[in-house]
Structures are given as C-alpha cells and as structure tokens.
Amino acid sequence: MARISIPYLGLLYLCCWAAIADAKYKDPKLPIASRIKDLLNRMTLAEKIGQMTQIERKNATVDVMKNFFIGSVLSGGGSAPKTNASAADWVNMVNEIQKGSLSTRLGIPMIYGIDAVHGHNNVYKTTIFPHNVGLGATRDPDLVKRIGAATALEVRATGIPYAFAPCIAVCRDPRWGRCYESYSEDPTIVQQMTELVPGLQGDIPANSRKVNGINENNTVASEHDVYSIHMPAYYNSIIKGVSTVMASYSSLNGVKMHANRAMLTDFLKDTLHFRGFVISDWEGIDRITSPPHANYPYSIETSINAGVDMVMVPYNYPEFLNDLTDLVNKKAIPMSRIDDAVRRILRVKFSMGLFENPLSDYSFANKLGCKEHRELAREAVRKSLVLLKNGKSPNQPLVPLAKKAPKILVAGTHADNLGYQCGGWTIEWQGLSGNNMTDGTTILKAIKATIDPSTNVVFEENPTPDFVKSQGFSYAVVVVGEVPYAETMGDSLNLTIPEPGPSTITNVCGAIKCVVVVVSGRPVVIEPYVQSIDALVAAWLPGSEGQGVADVLFGDYGFTGRLARTWFKSVDQLPMSLGDAHYDPLFPFGFGLETKPISH
C-alpha cells in the first residue's frame, strides 16, 4: 500500500495546483463579486486569518509571508529599507516581500501601506506638502485634490499602493497633539477637503459601485454632535470611493473606537454602506484594555466582532494568529464575521488591480520630489498663509516687505530649520531638526533668493536688543514656533512657543519694525506679544517649500488664507469653537487680512 500511496498523493497535489491555475478568481474579465466568491470558497481558515493581519516590514520576510499568508505589510513612522533609501530601494523591498505572498498556494498578493499624510513623508527627497491645518486655511478643494494626485505618484514611485490618509477628524481643541492633521474645526471645510480621496485614488467611474485611508482621548459628545460635526466627512469620503477606514485610538463617550460596533458596523458599514475594509491603528486593539495587551484574546474578540477587518499588529503576529484561530474554533467569533472581513479585503485588492499587477517597477521614480510637485507644494504654502496683523495702524502696513532695503535682519529658531518647517510625520514619526534630513528650501534661504541682490541679509537666531538696535536694520523677519511632534507627544496644556521664541520676539520687535512668522501645528499663545509686533503671519507647518513664504511676504503673491480654526487669547478659554456661547477669540474663525501682489 505504501508504494502506491505516494504517486496518488502526488497526483492529488498536482490536480490541486491545476485546479487553482484554472481558478475563476484569476480571470480579470469576470465580475469582482464572482472572483471574490470563488477565492473565498478555496481559502482555509489560516489563509483567511492571514489576510486579516498587517505586520511591520521589519518582520516581513519571504518565509513569514509565505508560511502565515500575511495579507498586508506597513512601514511605521520612519521605517525604511535603509537610511536615505532611493525609490529603487523601496521598490525592491516591496517586491521582495510580495514574492513571498505570490509563492503561497493561492498566490494572494499582499497590500503594502504607509503613512503619507503630507506628501510621501517617510521617504528621503520627496515633496513635503503643508500639513492639513494649513491646507484648511486655503479653502481650496481643487488644490487638495492635486496634492492627493501628486502624493499618489510619489507613493507609487516607491512601489507602494496604499496610503493611510487623509485624516478627516474635526479638531475642536488645539491642545490635542494631532490637531495639525485636521483641516479645520468646521466640518464643512473638512468635507470639502475630502477631495484628497479622489486625488489619491482617482475619480470613481460614473455609476460605479463604491468600494474603495482615514487615519487618545475620550470624545464626550451628544448623538447630535457626533453626527453633525464628526461624521459628515465620512459620508463624503465614502461617496468619493474611499477604500479603507482606520479606527481611531480615541473613545467616544467611554467606548474605545476599536471596540465600537455601533460606529464601525451599524453606522459605517450598514448605514453609510461602506464596502471597503476597516483597519485598526498601530496596536490599536491592544489598547481596548488598560493596561494595553492585558487580555489579548478579549481585545481580538471585541474588535473583530465590532467590525475591525484588518489588524495592524504590527510585531507580535504569531500570538494574534493563534488567538484569533482559537476564538473562531471556539465560535466566540463567527465564521460569517471572518468571511465578511476577508471579502472586504479581497474586494479592495481586486478593485485596485493588485492581482493583475502585484509587482512594481521603477517607471515613476522620476516623480519623487520632482519640480512639478515642488511647485505645487510652493503654491499650497502661499495659499495657506494667514496674515493676522499688518501694521500697528491701518494706514501703516508693513507687508508686502520691501525687497530693496539696505540691511535686514532674519531671526528665530525656525528661520533656517527645514525639519522644524516640516513638523512631525517627516522622515521620522516625531519629525526631526536640521537641514540634512531631506531636500527643501528653508525660509531664510527663500528670503535670500527673493530680495534684491544689493540687500544685506543678516541672520542671527536669537539676537540681543543691543545688537538689533545698533546694526541699522530696515526691518526684521522673526520666524519662531513649535518644535516637531506627533500624536500624544504633541499634547499640550499650555500651548506656548518654547524659548527662545518669545525672547526673540521681544528683543527684535521691541527695537525695530518686525514681521513675526509663526510656524506651528495649531494656534499658540501669541496674545502677550501682539501689541509689539508690526505684522503677524500664521505659516502653520509649511513643509519643504519655504519659498512659498517669501513669495507672499515680499509681494510676488498676495495673502489670501483665512483661519480654518479659532485663534484663542488664552488656553483658559479652551475648548472654544465658532458658535460657542463664550466665543471671545483673539482672531475669529475665518479671519485673514488680504494683500495685493506688487506688479513688477
């Protein structure tokens, strides 16, 4: 018997592979629903659970992808193939991981995801666009759509098809460290800016079915506030075909969002008819318990049953795979829920053509940080700047600044620091300081390129009052602000500009005419200094193209930006948004002085 069993087993094995080779799911001419049904019927529980798993690229060896049927891989903030990796380095890495997935029995391609929240921000020499807080001030959805398209090209240049963006949170309190990821305190502006979605993905075909990301506190809100303030942009995003939605670390009225079936399933999937997949945030399901990961099986059971389809593990994948398998075998998670999750994941993969084109090439490499995209970022900077004050009296405006002046002073920690200009989520998760982290133009460099060649520009980061008074400067440009941060690291109860910023404002503006440019992810405490300042500009986090700041300061273009969030007088007033009974801002929502460009 032993002699004939081996050939028979071999024959069965060959027949199995032949059947898969002829499988319906491999036929791009068939409807997606038929392909999904065919593939789902062929999958084992292990293959299904593998599809629901997203791991960090550091773990994603060919063997891991092949043996555990992993469905998705990501780069965490700052996670790259190597320091200063090129487009080719990224493509080669992604393709190597993909080959592991394609070598599995069913050959289901993995989908690689990355945070591209203001351009392809993890990658060296890409175009870094202004953060969303600045884009909201432009009131320009078409601009945001073009930024989405440019970002998509730069992400594809590195072989990656999936971006965790945009964030459509409505930030109502600037003390939150993620406020710069929010376009506005006004849900209407956030809705308009969902044009980033078709920018990233392309417009959905007319009459098509929508499938087709959206990126830790407790939001206490009435049902009316939840649906009138925080949910409208989700509706717009789904109408525009967004493929995935990321659950937040936050809680809503005490319920962790990763455990919130009412929002993830009842509202998002059933009411809004979202047909893509819901992905967790980084170790997001672990945080359902306190302390995190205290009862991992409970966290898995609760999150999957709530409606999370793919889990960003990202490291401890063997435990996740084992625990989820055990929960399904015990019927704590029904097989119907697993099938629904996998069906959603496969729908996205089929819709984007991943089965037909799983491997990337170098054809878009020249788009990384290209001149066209840098010009677009420069335009975005110009339109995002908000002029809050111009002259100590209305008939004595300081801006536009004179290009031809004998001698001018540029001061402040943020005048010649590309890392500070770009903020968090740039090369590293928390951002960086200095000018060696990527390519771009600092505000100082931009000023020098803009003024008349005869003008003497003196840069002194934190000059003394005596120095300022003794040098015969015509005027000064002071650039100060926040140092980079991301997420919880940016939570702040005082919202003050760190020293020496305030000292620099006092030393310079107390002695000569000055324009203060504030580089920040949100409104900050500025009220104590406003009287001494001649002109005040909110530059937000402008990104790599500082030339856009000089374009407007010196009158090549006019100021057009308007506040997309309220600028408070003191933090004691917070939270404070337009329409509140106690609304008494330093600068109200929608405020922004305009200037005309100087004709040349």
Side-chain angles (χ1 to χ4, degrees):
M1 292 294 291
R3 287 183 182 179
I4 60 167
S5 66
I6 294 170
Y8 270 122
L9 284 172
L11 182 61
L12 286 169
Y13 188 69
L14 287 170
C15 286
C16 175
W17 277 102
I20 290 169
D22 294 333
K24 285 183 180 178
Y25 75 88
K26 296 197 170 189
D27 185 353
K29 294 190 288 294
L30 289 175
I32 285 175
S34 302
R35 299 177 75 186
I36 293 170
K37 184 178 179 183
D38 179 70
L39 179 50
L40 200 60
N41 287 339
R42 296 170 186 273
M43 294 174 73
T44 64
L45 179 60
E47 287 166 334
K48 290 175 180 178
I49 286 174
Q51 283 301 301
M52 296 171 66
T53 308
Q54 185 182 65
I55 65 173
E56 220 287 330
R57 59 154 207 94
K58 293 168 186 168
N59 297 323
T61 64
V62 168
D63 285 345
V64 166
M65 301 304 292
K66 183 177 178 181
N67 296 335
F68 296 100
F69 316 108
I70 300 297
S72 185
V73 176
L74 85 152
S75 279
S79 180
K82 64 181 188 182
T83 304
N84 299 348
S86 66
D89 292 327
W90 281 92
V91 168
N92 293 340
M93 176 197 69
V94 174
N95 281 350
E96 186 65 20
I97 295 169
Q98 188 68 282
K99 285 171 186 172
S101 295
L102 299 178
S103 68
T104 56
R105 180 179 73 94
L106 296 171
I108 303 172
M110 67 88 192
I111 183 171
Y112 197 105
I114 197 164
D115 292 282
V117 299
H118 62 142
H120 197 9
N121 49 260
N122 259 0
V123 178
Y124 185 59
K125 290 192 174 182
T126 54
T127 311
I128 305 297
F129 292 94
H131 268 296
N132 292 353
V133 64
L135 297 181
T138 70
R139 305 295 202 281
D140 191 340
D142 175 68
L143 171 71
V144 169
K145 184 175 183 178
R146 287 184 284 137
I147 288 170
T151 301
L153 283 173
E154 299 209 13
V155 174
R156 289 312 301 249
T158 56
I160 297 172
Y162 179 22
F164 306 136
C167 173
I168 55 170
V170 179
C171 175
R172 311 280 279 188
D173 191 335
R175 292 173 294 189
W176 184 37
R178 300 192 82 148
C179 216
Y180 65 73
E181 298 182 51
S182 168
Y183 293 106
S184 179
E185 69 185 43
D186 177 9
T188 306
I189 292 175
V190 178
Q191 284 179 280
Q192 292 168 353
M193 296 309 171
T194 59
E195 277 299 283
L196 194 84
V197 173
L200 284 167
Q201 293 191 164
D203 290 303
I204 59 170
N207 303 318
S208 70
R209 296 289 297 275
K210 280 80 172 177
V211 319
N212 300 318
I214 299 170
N215 194 25
E216 282 178 66
N217 194 13
N218 178 33
T219 298
V220 179
S222 67
E223 189 171 324
H224 175 266
D225 282 353
V226 169
Y227 293 110
S228 65
I229 296 172
H230 298 287
M231 288 302 113
Y234 286 88
Y235 178 74
N236 291 74
S237 298
I238 290 164
I239 289 290
K240 292 169 184 177
V242 73
S243 294
T244 75
V245 171
M246 183 179 287
S248 165
Y249 287 132
S250 305
S251 300
L252 177 61
N253 295 326
V255 180
K256 291 278 189 183
M257 199 53 70
H258 283 81
N260 197 327
R261 182 181 169 85
M263 296 307 297
L264 298 181
T265 297
D266 299 347
F267 180 69
L268 187 66
K269 294 178 177 180
D270 295 347
T271 303
L272 295 188
H273 304 296
F274 173 61
R275 299 176 75 238
F277 67 82
V278 173
I279 186 169
S280 85
D281 208 333
W282 180 282
E283 294 179 344
I285 71 166
D286 303 47
R287 304 187 196 194
I288 290 172
T289 59
S290 183
H293 205 83
N295 186 344
Y296 200 45
Y298 169 79
S299 294
I300 294 171
E301 178 182 344
T302 305
S303 61
I304 302 299
N305 283 334
V308 174
D309 303 306
M310 182 182 283
V311 176
M312 194 184 290
V313 177
Y315 297 118
N316 203 3
Y317 61 92
E319 182 185 11
F320 173 75
L321 294 166
N322 290 335
D323 285 356
L324 180 50
T325 303
D326 189 48
L327 288 162
V328 175
N329 288 333
K330 288 177 177 173
K331 297 188 168 45
I333 297 174
M335 199 66 201
S336 59
R337 174 75 270 270
I338 299 296
D339 285 348
D340 173 58
V342 177
R343 193 177 291 114
R344 288 169 176 278
I345 293 163
L346 294 178
R347 186 180 290 129
V348 170
K349 291 184 177 184
F350 279 123
S351 297
M352 66 194 297
L354 199 58
F355 279 77
E356 286 69 58
N357 299 291
L359 296 173
S360 301
D361 57 32
Y362 311 123
S363 57
F364 291 115
N366 64 338
K367 294 295 183 183
L368 212 62
C370 66
K371 187 174 187 298
E372 179 189 359
H373 292 171
R374 291 190 182 278
E375 284 299 318
L376 175 61
R378 182 175 169 181
E379 177 190 346
V381 174
R382 290 196 293 262
K383 290 180 174 178
S384 68
L385 301 175
V386 181
L387 182 60
L388 298 172
K389 182 178 180 181
N390 191 15
K392 288 182 176 170
S393 63
N395 59 351
Q396 290 182 302
L398 180 60
V399 176
L401 297 170
K403 287 185 182 179
K404 198 165 186 176
K407 191 177 184 183
I408 66 172
L409 171 66
V410 179
T413 48
H414 289 55
D416 194 30
N417 194 314
L418 195 58
Y420 283 6
Q421 227 170 268
C422 291
W425 287 112
T426 309
I427 306 300
E428 297 288 345
W429 175 40
Q430 293 293 328
L432 293 163
S433 175
N435 295 332
N436 301 321
M437 30 80 80
T438 194
D439 278 2
T441 303
T442 68
I443 293 169
L444 173 66
K445 191 175 174 185
I447 290 170
K448 288 180 174 178
T450 305
I451 48 89
D452 190 88
S454 65
T455 300
N456 180 15
V457 179
V458 176
F459 174 57
E460 187 72 28
E461 193 168 289
N462 188 25
T464 64
D466 289 344
F467 175 84
V468 178
K469 289 172 184 170
S470 64
Q471 297 295 310
F473 295 117
S474 303
Y475 59 81
V477 180
V478 178
V479 192
V480 295
E482 296 187 298
V483 296
Y485 55 82
E487 300 191 22
T488 309
M489 301 297 284
D491 290 350
S492 171
L493 295 178
N494 57 38
L495 293 178
T496 51
I497 297 170
E499 284 289 355
S503 300
T504 307
I505 294 173
T506 304
N507 292 351
V508 176
C509 299
I512 57 172
K513 282 186 178 178
C514 74
V515 55
V516 172
V517 178
V518 179
V519 175
S520 68
R522 53 201 166 186
V524 289
V525 174
I526 199 75
E527 195 267 344
Y529 319 108
V530 170
Q531 202 165 355
S532 67
I533 293 169
D534 293 276
L536 177 62
V537 176
W540 314 111
L541 296 170
S544 60
E545 305 313 302
Q547 189 63 52
V549 177
D551 286 344
V552 183
L553 278 180
F554 291 92
D556 291 332
Y557 294 81
F559 277 93
T560 57
R562 291 182 290 130
L563 289 180
R565 57 185 66 258
T566 299
W567 203 297
F568 59 87
K569 290 177 181 174
S570 73
V571 291
D572 300 340
Q573 298 174 295
L574 299 175
M576 177 177 65
S577 298
L578 183 65
D580 290 349
H582 64 289
Y583 197 70
D584 181 28
L586 181 63
F587 301 108
F589 173 89
F591 182 80
L593 301 173
E594 294 193 2
T595 60
K596 299 294 182 193
I598 298 170
S599 54
H600 299 291

